[in-house]
Amino acid sequence: MPAPAAPFSWKDPVFRPLLERLQGNILKGHGRDHTQNVFFTIAGGKADAARAVLKMIATQYVTSALKQLSETEDFKEARALGEEKEFKSDPFVSVMLTEPGYRHLNVAAAGIPTDPLFVAGMQASGPALNDPAPSTWDPGFATRPDGMILIAATTPEEVDSLTARLLKLTAGVLDITCQQRGKAIRNAAGEGLEHFGYVDGRSQPLFLLEDIAHEEKAAGTNQWDPKFSPQRVIISDPGAVKRDGSPDGAAFGSYFVFRKLEEKVRAFKTREQELANELDLKDGARERAGALAIGRFEDGTPVALSPVALEPARGHVPNDFNYKNDPSGGKCPFFGHIRKVNPRGDTGEAFERTVIMARRGITYEDEPRIVHPDDLPEAKDFAEFNEKVAPLLPEGGVGLLFMAYNVDFGQQFEFTQSSWANSPGFPRTGTGIDPVIGQVVPGSPPPQLPAPQNWPKDWSSTSTVTKPFDMHGHVILRGGEYFFAPSVTFLRSL
């Protein structure tokens, strides 16, 4: 059977076989605030033992999409009864493999996913993505792994306990090359933040009718349609077979990209202040400088909709908007991060929607923050920022674990990074690179610095007065890889 062509209800019994076989986190985020990514290689001569231990993990621990969605439903019911604090969900576990991992498990060629970028690995795509040299990455990512186990739970103690259990189970069979903790940070309204202080992950493709109905009620879907075909996120798993050896047509998987992105928070926020000075923004209006770079104010208000933050209520961060009323980029610049990576019709919505990925990232703190972003003091000018705020901001050691599911790395993740974020000519000549994740050709110094972006001085759809100002280089790749998230069927048949 092909992947469903349209969003569906997870409660529809027709789709139960698909959801039982699909790993969780793909159609909908797992929702836990604490994670551990365990990267491994298969010890030499241990293929059979590795197959056995991964099969055991899949049978006892891996979370199917059906189990994840059922737990989410149970949590919603507990919250409606005021019992969410007492609600306990099981930890979430998923398993990914790289192309070498498939080979080192002695999987037949016909059972290995064939995306050429997956086969070659992320390091091979470095020049096309303007990635920094792998020699500059964190040491644990220097070696291409065979796979990754994602562990997520409500508390860090639960993550630690299950990680220890799985490491004991895999000792002598899987060599652990790297472990990476994730820790979500949230604002007072409960929305997820990234370390620059902005609401993150608000605009996601929705594949389930239940999520779409909630979005229609909470935020509206008149200007931006969040409904996406599941065919944009899941594909048939070539390695999944039934007990009789025939292909399992109800088994699906997804290509998975992992990138550890360090955020130079103090440098970025200082540059925001310098931009505010260049634009002659005073007092409370200074926040718009950062909103122009991100495309949203820190509370999630799209700068395309308002020149000031609107302080949306919990669960109501606006997402029902497009850029039809801002054809010149005078409200939200074309290079604004969320406009760069989701142009919402700037260049033709039908094609743009084929590029959108299901993002499942989480922040990390290798070095714990001194102050939560919500608790930073306010500053009315640059001098006050330097005195009160800057010393409290991390210079490094924190960032985002960017994770996203794809059906085609070239059309989705790599196109977004190379043809949109990194391209100074997208969506039109002279736009400039994405000021957040845009990357230039690496070097010391770079052989060609990007031209400054032209920032609108006035919030207006007809504004033509701009200031040239360069903002880039505050998000640094520290490692990453391309994986495939195989079906539960495949993992349990190893």
Side-chain angles (χ1 to χ4, degrees):
M1 63 179 287
F8 62 92
S9 170
W10 71 269
K11 298 177 182 179
D12 187 334
V14 170
F15 299 103
R16 185 181 181 93
L18 182 157
L19 295 173
E20 288 175 330
R21 292 159 170 78
L22 185 71
Q23 292 197 66
N25 202 40
I26 300 175
L27 293 175
K28 182 183 179 73
H30 59 67
R32 279 77 167 175
D33 281 356
H34 298 273
T35 63
Q36 180 82 275
N37 298 76
V38 179
F39 300 87
F40 64 84
T41 55
I42 296 166
K46 297 285 187 176
D48 290 343
R51 291 172 70 99
V53 77
L54 290 175
K55 179 177 181 177
M56 185 183 302
I57 291 172
T59 302
Q60 297 184 13
Y61 298 102
V62 163
T63 308
S64 71
L66 182 64
K67 182 175 188 291
Q68 177 204 336
L69 293 167
S70 297
E71 287 182 341
T72 301
E73 182 77 1
D74 291 343
F75 173 75
K76 288 180 179 178
E77 292 180 2
R79 185 168 59 188
L81 296 171
E83 301 173 353
E84 68 255 47
K85 291 184 178 179
E86 292 77 30
F87 181 83
K88 299 294 182 184
S89 62
D90 291 335
F92 173 90
V93 177
S94 63
V95 174
M96 324 284 185
L97 294 172
T98 62
E99 191 273 345
Y102 275 92
R103 288 189 285 105
H104 295 159
L105 288 170
N106 294 331
V107 175
I112 302 175
T114 57
D115 185 315
L117 298 176
F118 164 75
V119 172
M122 183 181 288
Q123 290 191 23
S125 291
L129 300 173
N130 292 348
D131 284 348
S135 60
T136 67
W137 294 3
D138 288 356
F141 296 105
T143 301
R144 190 177 184 190
D146 286 332
M148 183 195 82
I149 302 171
L150 172 61
I151 302 161
T154 305
T155 68
E157 292 77 16
E158 289 177 287
V159 171
D160 289 342
S161 175
L162 183 52
T163 300
R165 207 179 316 158
L166 294 182
L167 291 182
K168 183 177 181 180
L169 185 67
T170 61
V173 178
L174 304 181
D175 292 329
I176 307 306
T177 59
C178 179
Q179 295 185 60
Q180 178 62 59
R181 293 302 295 260
K183 175 187 175 184
I185 50 177
R186 298 186 182 278
N187 62 17
E191 303 291 344
L193 302 177
E194 49 74 47
H195 283 285
F196 292 148
Y198 294 86
V199 167
D200 190 38
R202 175 61 185 90
S203 183
Q204 291 278 17
L206 303 180
F207 309 105
L208 300 173
L209 293 180
E210 290 81 2
D211 292 334
I212 293 164
H214 177 269
E215 182 72 6
E216 289 173 342
K217 181 178 180 180
T221 58
N222 295 317
Q223 304 301 317
W224 169 251
D225 184 1
K227 300 188 293 291
F228 280 77
S229 164
Q231 293 178 358
R232 301 312 310 153
V233 72
I234 60 173
I235 58 174
S236 294
D237 182 354
V241 294
K242 298 178 182 179
R243 291 181 180 179
D244 62 5
S246 62
D248 187 343
F252 294 86
S254 185
Y255 289 107
F256 179 85
V257 53
F258 173 91
R259 284 165 77 84
K260 181 179 181 179
L261 302 175
E262 183 180 32
E263 295 180 339
K264 302 293 187 180
V265 180
R266 187 181 300 182
F268 182 86
K269 302 303 282 186
T270 298
R271 199 66 175 147
E272 281 186 355
Q273 291 293 317
E274 293 170 344
L275 175 59
N277 284 354
E278 285 291 317
L279 299 178
D280 199 29
L281 298 175
K282 306 294 185 184
D283 301 322
R286 295 179 67 81
E287 187 182 352
R288 192 162 79 243
L292 294 173
I294 302 295
R296 291 184 186 267
F297 287 87
E298 291 186 358
D299 67 5
T301 302
V303 73
L305 297 184
S306 173
V308 297
L310 299 177
E311 300 182 6
R314 183 187 181 108
H316 290 80
V317 172
N319 194 51
D320 187 23
F321 69 96
N322 55 44
Y323 301 108
K324 291 179 180 178
N325 293 324
D326 187 26
S328 68
K331 294 179 178 179
C332 179
F334 291 109
F335 55 74
H337 171 61
I338 68 166
R339 190 167 187 171
K340 262 280 195 180
V341 298
N342 185 3
R344 298 186 183 229
D346 277 346
T347 63
E349 187 175 333
F351 170 74
E352 292 167 0
R353 292 174 67 85
T354 68
V355 181
I356 301 298
M357 298 167 281
R359 292 169 287 115
R360 304 289 184 252
I362 191 170
T363 46
Y364 74 88
E365 297 180 32
D366 289 349
E367 299 177 16
R369 289 188 67 127
I370 300 173
V371 176
H372 185 282
D374 267 4
D375 297 329
L376 291 167
E378 295 185 3
K380 67 178 183 296
D381 56 32
F382 199 2
E384 202 168 80
F385 167 84
N386 281 329
E387 177 187 355
K388 296 182 178 180
V389 183
L392 303 176
L393 298 175
E395 296 185 76
V398 303
L400 177 71
L401 304 179
F402 177 86
M403 295 176 276
Y405 292 95
N406 300 241
V407 295
D408 186 312
F409 282 129
Q411 185 179 14
Q412 292 176 284
F413 167 68
E414 291 210 358
F415 188 91
T416 299
Q417 184 68 54
S418 62
S419 297
W420 284 358
N422 293 354
S423 173
F426 177 80
R428 58 182 64 181
T429 302
T431 292
I433 68 171
D434 184 323
V436 182
I437 64 167
Q439 297 185 147
V440 297
V441 177
S444 184
Q448 185 175 358
L449 290 171
Q453 299 100 340
N454 289 308
W455 303 76
K457 284 203 66 175
D458 305 308
W459 188 84
S460 168
S461 62
T462 59
S463 176
T464 58
V465 181
T466 60
K467 276 278 189 177
F469 187 88
D470 173 41
M471 197 166 189
H472 86 284
H474 301 107
V475 175
I476 312 297
L477 178 66
R478 295 302 185 196
E481 189 51 89
Y482 291 153
F483 299 86
F484 187 76
S487 63
V488 177
T489 303
F490 169 83
L491 292 170
R492 290 182 179 177
S493 68
L494 285 171

